[in-house]
Amino acid sequence: MTVASANPGFSTTVRALRLRHWQLGPGQSAVVLQQFTAEDFNLVVDDRADVHINSKDGRFYLGWFPDGRPGTDGEGWKIAVTGTATEPGYSMSFGTQTPADVVAAAVAGVLSTSRPL
C-alpha cells in the first residue's frame, strides 16, 4: 500500500533561490591581527614577511602566510591550539584566498574559549 503525498518533492520560493553576493578574495589581514594584544601574545614577522603570533603560554599559534606557507599547497592561515596531557589539541588551515573576515571569525571563536588559569 502506498500513500500519495500532497506535495511531492521539495518546495521553495523564488526569493529563496535568488542569487547572493559572496565575499571573495583575501581581504584585509588587519581584521584578524587586530584581535591580539601585546599583553597576551607575541608577534614575529619573519624574513618572508610571514606573520607568527603565539600566546604567552605557547599553547596558541596563528600563522599568516600571504604568499602561501612553505611546503603546502596554498595554505595562507594556520591556527593551532596545543592540547594537554588529557585533551588533544587541534588545528585548522585556510587558503591564501580565504576572506580575512572568515578567518577573523574563526580566531574570535577560538579566543572566546580561552580563559586565564
Side-chain angles (χ1 to χ4, degrees):
M1 170 191 217
T2 61
V3 176
S5 172
N7 297 317
F10 69 93
S11 66
T12 189
T13 64
V14 171
R15 182 175 183 195
L17 294 174
R18 73 174 181 243
L19 293 175
R20 300 182 61 88
H21 171 77
W22 296 96
Q23 183 180 6
L24 298 173
Q28 296 296 318
S29 61
V31 299
V32 177
L33 303 178
Q34 68 189 7
Q35 296 182 68
F36 301 98
T37 63
E39 181 180 330
D40 296 319
F41 296 91
N42 299 310
L43 179 138
V44 173
V45 179
D46 67 20
D47 61 341
R48 288 179 18 105
D50 296 334
V51 176
H52 308 275
I53 297 173
N54 68 312
S55 59
K56 298 283 184 175
D57 68 359
R59 294 195 48 219
F60 172 87
Y61 170 79
L62 170 81
W64 176 45
F65 310 91
D67 295 326
R69 185 175 178 199
T72 68
D73 187 24
E75 183 179 71
W77 297 91
K78 180 72 170 185
I79 300 169
V81 177
T82 303
T84 65
T86 57
E87 291 288 326
Y90 60 91
S91 67
M92 58 190 95
S93 300
F94 299 92
T96 56
Q97 292 301 306
T98 302
D101 289 331
V102 172
V103 178
V107 167
V110 172
L111 294 178
S112 73
T113 67
S114 71
R115 62 187 182 286
L117 295 177

